[in-house]
């Protein structure tokens, strides 16, 4: 079932506020999510861009051409699905401007709860919008490419960041402007004798893996698994180890891990969109157990209200809480 912003994005074509693209036109779709329904007669060739691995795989399974990052130029038009991250939305609009032909149509849509009205006003201040249309608890707006000034302004307003002088990040990544407090607590309570083949599940832009590489002298391998393509690309810059780390763009809940590890570190997500879903973290714990060697160790952090003790007890031979603060708790578990 399509999300409300997806419905909003295609509504201007359904309402005939915009003409349908000509047959065979090449349309870039940034931030594409599964479940959208094309209006009748929408016969353009869609080039979907989605860096979140579960969405990417769902779109592939539905038969679409999809890539984790935009490629090519000269597109006749672009669609931009806006989300909750202002900087990421602005960078996607900049990319759309850069990749469509002069005069090419760019349509942007998002939910009202995600700040689409403020985004519309921001873009309207940079260039001349043709129109906007509210529907499905969201707003769609559109304009034509006229030069590159707006794209340059949007990129200048959203540069790559360097967190604590060490880590390259970008808007839209989890905790892109600071080290997550839970990850900091976990890093402070890593075992002293961590070694062998180690994996970082849900590695993000690489903070925990970098800490392991810096502190552990007995590493024989360090692998990072992450579902966010852009975050994993940042981790390639941020994490250095000997031997060199390996990077896997993977949905750990649906894709098998081939290698077995002596230890896994993990700060698992527990949200899907805005909704809290502790089941995601529980499934990550099960995935980690399957990926450990006998007697292998899991070192993980979780929000202190999340009831992971039961799944740890069912999945590991032993577990212990080794640290807690006002928000988080750290577990060590043995397979």
């Amino acid at each position: 079932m399509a999300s409300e912003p997806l419905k909003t994005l295609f509504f201007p074509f359904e309402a005939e506020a915009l003409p349908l693209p000509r047959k065979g036109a090449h349309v870039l779709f940034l931030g594409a999510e599964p479940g959208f329904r094309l209006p009748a007669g929408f016969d353009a060739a869609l080039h979907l861009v989605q860096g979140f691995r579960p969405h990417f795989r769902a779109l592939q399974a539905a038969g679409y051409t999809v890539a984790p990052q935009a490629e090519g130029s000269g597109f006749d038009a672009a669609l931009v699905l806006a989300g909750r991250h202002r900087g990421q939305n602005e960078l996607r609009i900049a990319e759309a401007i850069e990749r469509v032909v002069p005069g090419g149509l760019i349509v942007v849509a998002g939910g009202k709860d995600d700040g689409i009205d403020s985004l519309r006003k921001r873009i309207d201040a940079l260039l001349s919008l043709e129109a906007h249309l509210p529907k499905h608890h969201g707003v769609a707006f559109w304009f034509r490419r006229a030069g590159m000034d707006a794209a340059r302004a949007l990129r200048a307003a959203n540069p790559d960041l360097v967190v604590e002088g060490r880590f390259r990040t970008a808007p839209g990544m989890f905790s892109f402007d600071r080290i997550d407090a839970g990850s900091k607590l976990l890093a402070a309570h890593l075992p002293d004798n961590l070694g062998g083949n180690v994996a970082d599940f849900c590695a993000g832009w690489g903070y925990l893996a970098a800490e392991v590489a810096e502190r552990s002298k007995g590493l024989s391998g360090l692998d990072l698994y992450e579902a966010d393509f852009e975050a994993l690309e940042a981790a390639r810059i941020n994490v250095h180890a000997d031997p060199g780390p390996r990077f896997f763009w993977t949905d750990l809940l649906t894709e098998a891990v081939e290698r077995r590890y002596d230890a896994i570190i993990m700060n698992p997500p527990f949200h899907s969109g805005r909704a809290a879903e502790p089941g995601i973290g529980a499934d990550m714990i099960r995935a980690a157990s399957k990926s450990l060697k006998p007697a292998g160790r899991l070192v993980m952090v979780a929000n202190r209200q999340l009831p992971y003790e039961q799944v740890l007890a069912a999945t590991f031979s032993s577990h212990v809480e080794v640290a807690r603060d006002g928000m988080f708790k750290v577990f060590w578990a043995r397979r």
Side-chain angles (χ1 to χ4, degrees):
M1 182 176 176
S3 67
E4 296 286 86
L6 275 175
K7 296 177 184 177
T8 305
L9 183 61
F10 289 98
F11 181 71
F13 300 102
E14 294 174 343
E16 299 183 354
L18 281 172
L20 292 168
R22 62 175 173 78
K23 186 173 183 178
H26 289 271
V27 177
L28 181 66
F29 188 176
L30 296 168
E33 292 183 3
F36 64 87
R37 181 182 63 83
L38 292 175
F42 196 106
D43 294 326
L46 283 176
H47 300 260
L48 279 57
V49 178
Q50 176 52 256
F52 182 51
R53 184 71 175 176
H55 288 348
F56 173 92
R57 296 187 74 219
L59 290 164
Q60 263 196 337
Y64 291 105
T65 300
V66 56
Q69 57 187 5
E71 299 172 351
S73 59
F75 291 97
D76 299 292
L79 306 172
V80 180
L81 184 65
R84 290 185 295 156
H85 300 284
R86 178 192 60 80
Q88 185 179 57
N89 292 336
E90 293 187 1
L91 289 173
R92 284 178 178 170
I93 293 172
E95 184 142 47
I97 294 169
E98 292 160 353
R99 293 186 183 273
V100 301
V101 296
L105 176 70
I106 298 171
V107 184
V108 183
K112 290 183 178 179
D113 291 343
D114 292 334
I116 189 63
D117 281 318
S118 62
L119 179 64
R120 175 179 61 83
K121 293 173 184 176
R122 162 80 163 134
I123 302 305
D124 195 28
L126 292 174
L127 45 80
S128 179
L129 296 182
E130 281 192 7
H132 70 279
L133 192 62
K135 188 69 175 178
H136 302 299
H137 308 290
V139 175
F141 61 86
W142 56 93
F143 58 94
R144 307 272 171 178
R145 175 189 153 181
M148 290 290 180
D149 288 349
R152 284 191 285 267
L154 292 169
R155 290 207 177 275
N158 297 282
D160 287 350
L161 301 178
V162 181
V163 175
E164 295 198 358
R166 296 176 57 194
F167 301 106
R168 302 287 299 189
T169 73
M173 299 175 191
F174 170 71
S175 196
F176 74 95
D177 58 348
R178 65 193 183 284
I179 296 172
D180 170 66
S183 293
K184 268 193 172 181
L185 184 66
L186 178 57
H189 292 87
L190 289 170
D192 294 333
N193 59 344
L194 203 61
N197 286 320
V198 178
D200 183 354
F201 278 16
C202 315
W205 42 260
Y207 166 70
L208 283 171
E211 290 293 301
V212 169
E214 187 174 283
R215 301 181 192 192
S216 302
K217 305 306 180 186
L219 287 179
S220 54
L222 178 61
D223 293 350
L224 285 74
Y225 293 81
E226 173 55 43
D228 180 342
F229 184 86
E230 290 187 356
L232 192 65
E233 290 298 288
R236 293 180 189 274
I237 300 171
N238 295 330
V239 182
H240 308 277
D242 186 17
R246 302 191 306 171
F247 303 86
F248 298 90
W249 183 44
T250 301
D251 176 9
L252 287 163
L253 299 186
T254 63
E255 296 182 270
V257 173
E258 300 298 331
R259 201 174 187 184
R260 294 296 172 261
Y261 295 97
D262 298 292
I264 292 174
I265 58 171
M266 183 168 69
N267 181 359
F270 64 95
H271 281 89
S272 178
R274 293 183 182 274
E277 291 191 17
I280 296 174
D283 286 343
M284 288 290 182
I285 291 170
R286 297 184 185 99
S289 176
K290 293 176 182 177
S291 303
L292 284 165
K293 298 176 182 178
R297 291 185 293 178
L298 171 67
V299 182
M300 68 168 288
V301 65
N303 282 51
R304 55 182 292 174
Q305 78 271 17
L306 296 175
Y308 289 153
E309 288 82 355
Q310 185 174 355
V311 67
L312 285 167
T315 313
F316 288 83
S317 61
S318 64
H319 72 278
V320 62
E321 181 183 308
V322 298
R324 176 183 287 250
D325 64 14
M327 294 182 62
F328 301 100
K329 52 190 176 184
V330 175
F331 294 107
W332 294 359
R334 179 81 66 173
R335 185 171 183 272

